Amino acid sequence: MKTFNNEINVHRGETFSIDKSVQNKDGSPYVISSKLNNPYFLLTVSTTRYEQEDRYLKNYWLDLSNFPKFLSTQAFDLKSLMSTANGSTPMYPNGFYDITARSSTGVNGTDYLAYGYIGSKLVFLDYDDCVFYVEDDEGNRTYKYWDDSVVNGDRVGWLNYKCKITKAFSQEDTREWVEQSYIYSIKLVSGQLMSDYLNGLCISKGIDYVGISNQEKYDKLVEAGHVFPKEFNVSRVIGKYDVVMPILVPTKMSVLSSINGGL
């Protein structure tokens, strides 16, 4: 497998991985909002950009349930917190090294990770509020987040933050592809899970959905007269989207002949 400007050349039957760091235009790492409902990275491989008859299309749903998510999608400058109102002395002059634990004397006695003044306003920030960064004298930024979980009796604490998309393609995947150009794309999607979406429709139609598959729920709904949109696909993880955000626009992927002589 070879890549150039996100374009991929791969041999049929080859195993390979996509491993990408997702960044904003300013170079900061992409941050996923904790307000999203069931977020996934959706990686799609298809023969054409648009729907047409006999189009090959396969979706890979990358679960983000265990990926760190935050209330703010913008990284926060830790050294922008000052020790006094309208002051110029940073509350944390040594950056991350000045914070070794959470405290519980914040607003209304709630726990917090960092605090200080921004202008005249006293601000308290906790581990689930944002990713933090510190910029050195040469303008290089280090991004970290606080992991409050406990491992072997110790708090994990600061960890480097990156937003990475990793997907391994097996020989079983790439054997389906023929020698031609494909496109692949990546989106951040969220919404109501397919099972929950179909359950709600079944309830509205008085259909018993307990203990049956999504396909069986779909079939019963169609029999009951429910009309689904033409593009509806019951095999999708998300049944009703509330966020669809492009991460990588449709990009060329060239599939070459098998390196093993036609497996």
Side-chain angles (χ1 to χ4, degrees), residues 7-50:
E7 293 189 2
I8 295 175
N9 288 340
V10 60
H11 288 85
R12 184 168 182 258
E14 179 183 1
T15 59
F16 73 99
S17 295
I18 290 176
D19 191 345
K20 295 183 179 295
S21 293
V22 186
Q23 296 181 330
N24 299 309
K25 289 182 179 180
D26 63 359
S28 62
Y30 193 85
V31 178
I32 298 171
S33 172
S34 57
K35 297 177 183 177
L36 294 180
N37 185 29
N38 305 309
Y40 284 78
F41 280 133
L42 175 58
L43 192 157
T44 301
V45 177
S46 62
T47 47
T48 62
R49 189 183 297 245
Y50 307 106

Side-chain angles (χ1 to χ4, degrees), residues 38-185:
N38 305 309
Y40 284 78
F41 280 133
L42 175 58
L43 192 157
T44 301
V45 177
S46 62
T47 47
T48 62
R49 189 183 297 245
Y50 307 106
E51 288 191 25
Q52 65 182 49
E53 191 175 352
D54 298 327
R55 174 196 189 197
Y56 173 87
L57 184 145
K58 188 162 185 178
N59 289 321
Y60 299 90
W61 300 83
L62 311 182
D63 187 5
L64 295 173
S65 58
N66 293 323
F67 194 85
K69 294 175 280 291
F70 304 90
L71 287 173
S72 173
T73 58
Q74 299 297 315
F76 184 85
D77 181 2
L78 184 59
K79 290 188 177 182
S80 69
L81 295 170
M82 298 298 154
S83 58
T84 58
N86 300 311
S88 59
T89 302
M91 187 70 192
Y92 305 104
N94 299 309
F96 301 113
Y97 298 103
D98 289 330
I99 300 175
T100 58
R102 294 168 72 209
S103 299
S104 58
T105 56
V107 178
N108 298 323
T110 58
D111 291 348
Y112 70 92
L113 182 65
Y115 81 104
Y117 287 90
I118 298 178
S120 60
K121 184 179 181 180
L122 182 59
V123 175
F124 292 87
L125 296 169
D126 207 358
Y127 71 97
D128 54 355
D129 284 322
C130 58
V131 172
F132 295 86
Y133 74 86
V134 170
E135 186 173 307
D136 64 20
D137 294 337
E138 296 178 353
N140 300 310
R141 293 182 177 182
T142 300
Y143 296 87
K144 291 181 181 288
Y145 71 101
W146 181 271
D147 186 337
D148 205 48
S149 59
V150 176
V151 177
N152 296 325
D154 295 321
R155 193 75 60 186
V156 174
W158 291 114
L159 294 175
N160 290 326
Y161 179 81
K162 284 185 178 181
C163 183
K164 298 198 72 175
I165 297 175
T166 303
K167 168 59 186 169
F169 290 86
S170 67
Q171 190 179 82
E172 184 177 299
D173 291 313
T174 61
R175 274 194 310 223
E176 295 181 359
W177 304 341
V178 297
E179 299 168 36
Q180 66 175 61
S181 292
Y182 291 76
I183 58 172
Y184 77 104
S185 63

